[in-house]
Amino acid sequence: MLGVGQTYITNIIGVAYPAFMSFRALETDGLDDDKQWLTYWVCFGAFNIVDQFAGIILRFIPFYFFVKCGFLIYLFHPSTLGATTVYNNLVLPQVKKYEDQIAKIEKKVSSLAGDKKED
């Protein structure tokens, strides 16, 4: 196990390096690296949502934090470009499947926020 700070270690691995590389990507002229890091953050966000709900159970799995670190590294490592694979095969099909429902919720929330803004 990673010890007492295992949650902090995995969060540093999953955020610190990718954030630094995202800042660097924003300063380059090309858009490929921007797209790669944006894809990473979408996958990271989706993974964090799942981890927040299933993490209570998953934490009882031996070496869960090692697996989590490995998965996060797989997502951002330049030689694997795992975020692109995960996005294309898991995230995008689910978003497309529920696109209409997501749009309805977004419209409803926007109208509620607009109503509150006018008050």
PDB file of all heavy atoms in Angstrom, residues 41-60:
ATOM      1  N   TRP A  41      -8.535  15.655 -19.097  1.00  0.00           N
ATOM      2  CA  TRP A  41      -9.329  16.241 -18.008  1.00  0.00           C
ATOM      3  C   TRP A  41     -10.774  15.763 -18.044  1.00  0.00           C
ATOM      4  O   TRP A  41     -11.401  15.591 -16.988  1.00  0.00           O
ATOM      5  CB  TRP A  41      -9.230  17.765 -18.015  1.00  0.00           C
ATOM      6  CG  TRP A  41      -7.872  18.216 -17.592  1.00  0.00           C
ATOM      7  CD1 TRP A  41      -6.934  18.833 -18.367  1.00  0.00           C
ATOM      8  CD2 TRP A  41      -7.260  18.038 -16.308  1.00  0.00           C
ATOM      9  NE1 TRP A  41      -5.787  19.058 -17.640  1.00  0.00           N
ATOM     10  CE2 TRP A  41      -5.959  18.581 -16.367  1.00  0.00           C
ATOM     11  CE3 TRP A  41      -7.675  17.485 -15.111  1.00  0.00           C
ATOM     12  CZ2 TRP A  41      -5.094  18.573 -15.287  1.00  0.00           C
ATOM     13  CZ3 TRP A  41      -6.812  17.481 -14.025  1.00  0.00           C
ATOM     14  CH2 TRP A  41      -5.539  18.027 -14.124  1.00  0.00           C
ATOM     15  N   VAL A  42     -11.314  15.515 -19.223  1.00  0.00           N
ATOM     16  CA  VAL A  42     -12.669  14.956 -19.319  1.00  0.00           C
ATOM     17  C   VAL A  42     -12.684  13.554 -18.721  1.00  0.00           C
ATOM     18  O   VAL A  42     -13.566  13.206 -17.921  1.00  0.00           O
ATOM     19  CB  VAL A  42     -13.159  14.952 -20.783  1.00  0.00           C
ATOM     20  CG1 VAL A  42     -14.422  14.122 -20.941  1.00  0.00           C
ATOM     21  CG2 VAL A  42     -13.385  16.368 -21.275  1.00  0.00           C
ATOM     22  N   CYS A  43     -11.695  12.733 -19.086  1.00  0.00           N
ATOM     23  CA  CYS A  43     -11.615  11.372 -18.550  1.00  0.00           C
ATOM     24  C   CYS A  43     -11.343  11.383 -17.051  1.00  0.00           C
ATOM     25  O   CYS A  43     -11.913  10.593 -16.301  1.00  0.00           O
ATOM     26  CB  CYS A  43     -10.532  10.577 -19.276  1.00  0.00           C
ATOM     27  SG  CYS A  43     -10.927  10.246 -20.994  1.00  0.00           S
ATOM     28  N   PHE A  44     -10.479  12.277 -16.611  1.00  0.00           N
ATOM     29  CA  PHE A  44     -10.171  12.403 -15.188  1.00  0.00           C
ATOM     30  C   PHE A  44     -11.431  12.775 -14.407  1.00  0.00           C
ATOM     31  O   PHE A  44     -11.710  12.209 -13.351  1.00  0.00           O
ATOM     32  CB  PHE A  44      -9.081  13.456 -14.987  1.00  0.00           C
ATOM     33  CG  PHE A  44      -8.708  13.689 -13.553  1.00  0.00           C
ATOM     34  CD1 PHE A  44      -7.829  12.844 -12.909  1.00  0.00           C
ATOM     35  CD2 PHE A  44      -9.233  14.762 -12.849  1.00  0.00           C
ATOM     36  CE1 PHE A  44      -7.480  13.050 -11.577  1.00  0.00           C
ATOM     37  CE2 PHE A  44      -8.890  14.987 -11.524  1.00  0.00           C
ATOM     38  CZ  PHE A  44      -8.011  14.124 -10.887  1.00  0.00           C
ATOM     39  N   GLY A  45     -12.203  13.706 -14.925  1.00  0.00           N
ATOM     40  CA  GLY A  45     -13.446  14.103 -14.266  1.00  0.00           C
ATOM     41  C   GLY A  45     -14.439  12.959 -14.193  1.00  0.00           C
ATOM     42  O   GLY A  45     -15.055  12.721 -13.148  1.00  0.00           O
ATOM     43  N   ALA A  46     -14.592  12.241 -15.296  1.00  0.00           N
ATOM     44  CA  ALA A  46     -15.512  11.100 -15.308  1.00  0.00           C
ATOM     45  C   ALA A  46     -15.046  10.029 -14.327  1.00  0.00           C
ATOM     46  O   ALA A  46     -15.852   9.462 -13.576  1.00  0.00           O
ATOM     47  CB  ALA A  46     -15.614  10.524 -16.719  1.00  0.00           C
ATOM     48  N   PHE A  47     -13.733   9.777 -14.311  1.00  0.00           N
ATOM     49  CA  PHE A  47     -13.187   8.792 -13.374  1.00  0.00           C
ATOM     50  C   PHE A  47     -13.397   9.233 -11.930  1.00  0.00           C
ATOM     51  O   PHE A  47     -13.736   8.419 -11.073  1.00  0.00           O
ATOM     52  CB  PHE A  47     -11.694   8.571 -13.654  1.00  0.00           C
ATOM     53  CG  PHE A  47     -11.036   7.665 -12.666  1.00  0.00           C
ATOM     54  CD1 PHE A  47     -11.291   6.302 -12.691  1.00  0.00           C
ATOM     55  CD2 PHE A  47     -10.177   8.158 -11.706  1.00  0.00           C
ATOM     56  CE1 PHE A  47     -10.697   5.452 -11.769  1.00  0.00           C
ATOM     57  CE2 PHE A  47      -9.582   7.320 -10.785  1.00  0.00           C
ATOM     58  CZ  PHE A  47      -9.837   5.960 -10.813  1.00  0.00           C
ATOM     59  N   ASN A  48     -13.217  10.507 -11.658  1.00  0.00           N
ATOM     60  CA  ASN A  48     -13.407  11.003 -10.283  1.00  0.00           C
ATOM     61  C   ASN A  48     -14.850  10.866  -9.818  1.00  0.00           C
ATOM     62  O   ASN A  48     -15.103  10.593  -8.643  1.00  0.00           O
ATOM     63  CB  ASN A  48     -12.947  12.455 -10.158  1.00  0.00           C
ATOM     64  CG  ASN A  48     -11.541  12.549  -9.647  1.00  0.00           C
ATOM     65  OD1 ASN A  48     -10.986  11.584  -9.145  1.00  0.00           O
ATOM     66  ND2 ASN A  48     -10.952  13.709  -9.771  1.00  0.00           N
ATOM     67  N   ILE A  49     -15.794  11.079 -10.721  1.00  0.00           N
ATOM     68  CA  ILE A  49     -17.205  10.901 -10.364  1.00  0.00           C
ATOM     69  C   ILE A  49     -17.459   9.446  -9.973  1.00  0.00           C
ATOM     70  O   ILE A  49     -18.066   9.160  -8.942  1.00  0.00           O
ATOM     71  CB  ILE A  49     -18.132  11.344 -11.516  1.00  0.00           C
ATOM     72  CG1 ILE A  49     -18.066  12.860 -11.673  1.00  0.00           C
ATOM     73  CG2 ILE A  49     -19.566  10.869 -11.269  1.00  0.00           C
ATOM     74  CD1 ILE A  49     -18.724  13.372 -12.933  1.00  0.00           C
ATOM     75  N   VAL A  50     -16.982   8.526 -10.795  1.00  0.00           N
ATOM     76  CA  VAL A  50     -17.150   7.103 -10.491  1.00  0.00           C
ATOM     77  C   VAL A  50     -16.425   6.758  -9.197  1.00  0.00           C
ATOM     78  O   VAL A  50     -16.956   6.045  -8.342  1.00  0.00           O
ATOM     79  CB  VAL A  50     -16.631   6.230 -11.658  1.00  0.00           C
ATOM     80  CG1 VAL A  50     -16.586   4.767 -11.280  1.00  0.00           C
ATOM     81  CG2 VAL A  50     -17.487   6.442 -12.895  1.00  0.00           C
ATOM     82  N   ASP A  51     -15.218   7.275  -9.040  1.00  0.00           N
ATOM     83  CA  ASP A  51     -14.413   6.983  -7.854  1.00  0.00           C
ATOM     84  C   ASP A  51     -15.071   7.504  -6.576  1.00  0.00           C
ATOM     85  O   ASP A  51     -14.981   6.869  -5.524  1.00  0.00           O
ATOM     86  CB  ASP A  51     -13.020   7.589  -8.018  1.00  0.00           C
ATOM     87  CG  ASP A  51     -12.060   7.152  -6.934  1.00  0.00           C
ATOM     88  OD1 ASP A  51     -12.010   5.940  -6.632  1.00  0.00           O
ATOM     89  OD2 ASP A  51     -11.352   8.025  -6.389  1.00  0.00           O
ATOM     90  N   GLN A  52     -15.734   8.640  -6.657  1.00  0.00           N
ATOM     91  CA  GLN A  52     -16.399   9.186  -5.472  1.00  0.00           C
ATOM     92  C   GLN A  52     -17.527   8.284  -4.991  1.00  0.00           C
ATOM     93  O   GLN A  52     -17.747   8.139  -3.794  1.00  0.00           O
ATOM     94  CB  GLN A  52     -16.949  10.592  -5.748  1.00  0.00           C
ATOM     95  CG  GLN A  52     -15.899  11.643  -5.882  1.00  0.00           C
ATOM     96  CD  GLN A  52     -15.087  11.803  -4.612  1.00  0.00           C
ATOM     97  OE1 GLN A  52     -15.621  11.911  -3.515  1.00  0.00           O
ATOM     98  NE2 GLN A  52     -13.780  11.813  -4.763  1.00  0.00           N
ATOM     99  N   PHE A  53     -18.250   7.686  -5.929  1.00  0.00           N
ATOM    100  CA  PHE A  53     -19.376   6.841  -5.544  1.00  0.00           C
ATOM    101  C   PHE A  53     -18.953   5.406  -5.273  1.00  0.00           C
ATOM    102  O   PHE A  53     -19.401   4.795  -4.307  1.00  0.00           O
ATOM    103  CB  PHE A  53     -20.477   6.884  -6.612  1.00  0.00           C
ATOM    104  CG  PHE A  53     -21.174   8.200  -6.663  1.00  0.00           C
ATOM    105  CD1 PHE A  53     -20.885   9.121  -7.653  1.00  0.00           C
ATOM    106  CD2 PHE A  53     -22.103   8.545  -5.696  1.00  0.00           C
ATOM    107  CE1 PHE A  53     -21.518  10.354  -7.696  1.00  0.00           C
ATOM    108  CE2 PHE A  53     -22.743   9.774  -5.720  1.00  0.00           C
ATOM    109  CZ  PHE A  53     -22.447  10.677  -6.729  1.00  0.00           C
ATOM    110  N   ALA A  54     -18.103   4.853  -6.121  1.00  0.00           N
ATOM    111  CA  ALA A  54     -17.687   3.456  -5.957  1.00  0.00           C
ATOM    112  C   ALA A  54     -16.430   3.323  -5.113  1.00  0.00           C
ATOM    113  O   ALA A  54     -16.086   2.228  -4.686  1.00  0.00           O
ATOM    114  CB  ALA A  54     -17.455   2.830  -7.329  1.00  0.00           C
ATOM    115  N   GLY A  55     -15.752   4.426  -4.857  1.00  0.00           N
ATOM    116  CA  GLY A  55     -14.497   4.393  -4.133  1.00  0.00           C
ATOM    117  C   GLY A  55     -14.595   3.805  -2.745  1.00  0.00           C
ATOM    118  O   GLY A  55     -13.645   3.197  -2.248  1.00  0.00           O
ATOM    119  N   ILE A  56     -15.739   3.964  -2.101  1.00  0.00           N
ATOM    120  CA  ILE A  56     -15.935   3.412  -0.757  1.00  0.00           C
ATOM    121  C   ILE A  56     -15.759   1.894  -0.796  1.00  0.00           C
ATOM    122  O   ILE A  56     -15.108   1.313   0.068  1.00  0.00           O
ATOM    123  CB  ILE A  56     -17.326   3.798  -0.206  1.00  0.00           C
ATOM    124  CG1 ILE A  56     -17.406   5.311  -0.038  1.00  0.00           C
ATOM    125  CG2 ILE A  56     -17.631   3.077   1.089  1.00  0.00           C
ATOM    126  CD1 ILE A  56     -18.801   5.843   0.188  1.00  0.00           C
ATOM    127  N   ILE A  57     -16.309   1.286  -1.824  1.00  0.00           N
ATOM    128  CA  ILE A  57     -16.193  -0.162  -1.987  1.00  0.00           C
ATOM    129  C   ILE A  57     -14.816  -0.526  -2.536  1.00  0.00           C
ATOM    130  O   ILE A  57     -14.176  -1.467  -2.070  1.00  0.00           O
ATOM    131  CB  ILE A  57     -17.303  -0.684  -2.922  1.00  0.00           C
ATOM    132  CG1 ILE A  57     -18.667  -0.428  -2.288  1.00  0.00           C
ATOM    133  CG2 ILE A  57     -17.113  -2.162  -3.225  1.00  0.00           C
ATOM    134  CD1 ILE A  57     -19.826  -0.586  -3.236  1.00  0.00           C
ATOM    135  N   LEU A  58     -14.354   0.243  -3.525  1.00  0.00           N
ATOM    136  CA  LEU A  58     -13.088  -0.069  -4.180  1.00  0.00           C
ATOM    137  C   LEU A  58     -11.896   0.025  -3.238  1.00  0.00           C
ATOM    138  O   LEU A  58     -10.898  -0.667  -3.427  1.00  0.00           O
ATOM    139  CB  LEU A  58     -12.879   0.859  -5.377  1.00  0.00           C
ATOM    140  CG  LEU A  58     -13.867   0.713  -6.519  1.00  0.00           C
ATOM    141  CD1 LEU A  58     -13.625   1.789  -7.574  1.00  0.00           C
ATOM    142  CD2 LEU A  58     -13.759  -0.665  -7.152  1.00  0.00           C
ATOM    143  N   ARG A  59     -11.975   0.847  -2.226  1.00  0.00           N
ATOM    144  CA  ARG A  59     -10.859   1.012  -1.286  1.00  0.00           C
ATOM    145  C   ARG A  59     -10.565  -0.264  -0.502  1.00  0.00           C
ATOM    146  O   ARG A  59      -9.494  -0.416   0.070  1.00  0.00           O
ATOM    147  CB  ARG A  59     -11.126   2.180  -0.348  1.00  0.00           C
ATOM    148  CG  ARG A  59     -10.897   3.510  -1.014  1.00  0.00           C
ATOM    149  CD  ARG A  59     -11.271   4.679  -0.110  1.00  0.00           C
ATOM    150  NE  ARG A  59     -11.008   5.961  -0.729  1.00  0.00           N
ATOM    151  CZ  ARG A  59     -11.737   6.540  -1.669  1.00  0.00           C
ATOM    152  NH1 ARG A  59     -12.798   5.925  -2.140  1.00  0.00           N
ATOM    153  NH2 ARG A  59     -11.426   7.715  -2.152  1.00  0.00           N
ATOM    154  N   PHE A  60     -11.516  -1.181  -0.465  1.00  0.00           N
ATOM    155  CA  PHE A  60     -11.291  -2.453   0.212  1.00  0.00           C
ATOM    156  C   PHE A  60     -10.538  -3.443  -0.666  1.00  0.00           C
ATOM    157  O   PHE A  60     -10.125  -4.494  -0.196  1.00  0.00           O
ATOM    158  CB  PHE A  60     -12.625  -3.063   0.674  1.00  0.00           C
ATOM    159  CG  PHE A  60     -13.250  -2.282   1.791  1.00  0.00           C
ATOM    160  CD1 PHE A  60     -14.385  -1.521   1.572  1.00  0.00           C
ATOM    161  CD2 PHE A  60     -12.695  -2.304   3.057  1.00  0.00           C
ATOM    162  CE1 PHE A  60     -14.957  -0.798   2.599  1.00  0.00           C
ATOM    163  CE2 PHE A  60     -13.259  -1.573   4.092  1.00  0.00           C
ATOM    164  CZ  PHE A  60     -14.401  -0.824   3.874  1.00  0.00           C
TER     165      PHE A  60
END
